[in-house]
Amino acid sequence: MRGLILALALLAASSEAPRVRIKSPRHGWTSQRVATLSGTVSDRRIRMVQISLNDAARPVTVRDGRFEVRLPVRPGSNRAEAVAVSGALQGRDQVTFFASVPATDLQILLVWDTEGTDLDLHVTEPSGEECYYGNRQTLSGGRLEVDDTDGYGPEVYVLPHAPLGEYRLAVAYRDSGRGGQTNARVEVILREGTPFERRYQFPVTLTQEGEMAPVGSFFIERPIE
């Protein structure tokens, strides 16, 4: 009888959608260019949530029912959503918050599709200086705001006032963790949140630890409006 009661309790639990709660940013606003989005999931068997910020989605690891990720926000209104899946059921929470931050000329994000792996974003600026985990602040004002080391990303590079010239992008497979292939994407965002916003994407696949893969380059040929 005890075994039957336990089985019925598990069945009842599995028939309920997981409860998701976003706990930060709090109070509906932030003054941080890279904000911490955190929350909880009621079902501790769930290991991943899908986080969307302004419709850009990425997976985030859940540990002991908690998740946390640092993401760049745009000036003004931002909308974040967290979705957890258990079987055919979904739980979700959504918040809207205001970011009191200045517009920035250039953001570059690196995301990838494997847990427990460490990829590194490398950005070489027109001056020839390279921004990466070993040189997080450049003379032109570029900064590696987020260095993710345990999977999925994002890594976030921000340059408030972008000099003219060529920007070269590369991704390093620093630590394979569980090993195997990982698929990554570098996203370039120019003047986000303004009428002059432009976005470009560069996909790249890496297969082994120690690999450095050139991803592509782009030019800023005239001052950003």
Side-chain angles (χ1 to χ4, degrees):
M1 177 63 71
R2 184 175 299 173
L4 177 59
I5 293 174
L6 178 59
L8 290 173
L10 290 172
L11 180 62
S14 65
S15 65
E16 296 180 0
R19 296 185 301 280
V20 180
R21 183 184 176 195
I22 297 175
K23 292 190 171 183
S24 68
R26 297 184 178 181
H27 310 304
W29 73 280
T30 181
S31 61
Q32 300 297 315
R33 189 190 304 276
V34 179
T36 298
L37 182 67
S38 65
T40 59
V41 180
S42 61
D43 187 342
R44 297 201 171 197
R45 296 170 298 178
I46 293 175
R47 296 193 58 197
M48 187 186 304
V49 294
Q50 190 79 357
I51 300 294
S52 298
L53 179 62
N54 303 323
D55 299 319
R58 65 207 65 196
V60 174
T61 301
V62 178
R63 295 184 175 90
D64 296 323
R66 300 178 182 274
F67 61 88
E68 181 175 296
V69 63
R70 296 183 67 207
L71 296 171
V73 299
R74 65 189 181 194
S77 180
N78 292 260
R79 182 174 61 85
E81 183 178 55
V83 179
V85 177
S86 177
L89 301 174
Q90 289 187 353
R92 65 181 65 226
D93 192 19
Q94 180 176 299
V95 297
T96 300
F97 61 95
F98 187 88
S100 179
V101 296
T104 187
D105 281 353
L106 176 62
Q107 290 183 55
I108 302 176
L109 285 69
L110 168 65
V111 296
W112 59 99
D113 67 355
T114 51
E115 183 181 4
T117 56
D118 182 8
L119 300 191
D120 287 318
L121 175 65
H122 291 245
V123 180
T124 302
E125 299 173 345
S127 67
E129 186 175 6
E130 185 177 15
C131 188
Y132 67 110
Y133 73 92
N135 182 39
R136 298 187 60 158
Q137 179 77 54
T138 69
L139 293 176
S140 67
R143 180 171 176 81
L144 185 66
E145 293 274 5
V146 181
D147 177 25
D148 182 276
T149 60
D150 59 1
Y152 300 121
E155 298 226 333
V156 182
Y157 164 91
V158 174
L159 181 56
H161 305 289
L164 303 184
E166 181 184 18
Y167 293 76
R168 301 194 307 275
L169 310 173
V171 176
Y173 201 163
R174 187 172 182 216
D175 185 353
S176 60
R178 299 178 182 177
Q181 174 176 303
T182 185
N183 300 302
R185 184 180 76 251
V186 177
E187 183 174 9
V188 175
I189 308 170
L190 297 174
R191 203 61 171 170
E192 184 178 31
T194 76
F196 309 101
E197 179 179 317
R198 297 292 183 271
R199 292 175 179 258
Y200 307 95
Q201 292 189 359
F202 300 85
V204 61
T205 298
L206 299 101
T207 59
Q208 60 185 355
E209 189 174 307
E211 180 180 3
M212 171 73 84
V215 174
S217 64
F218 64 95
F219 287 84
I220 298 179
E221 298 179 335
R222 56 190 175 90
I224 297 176
E225 299 290 345

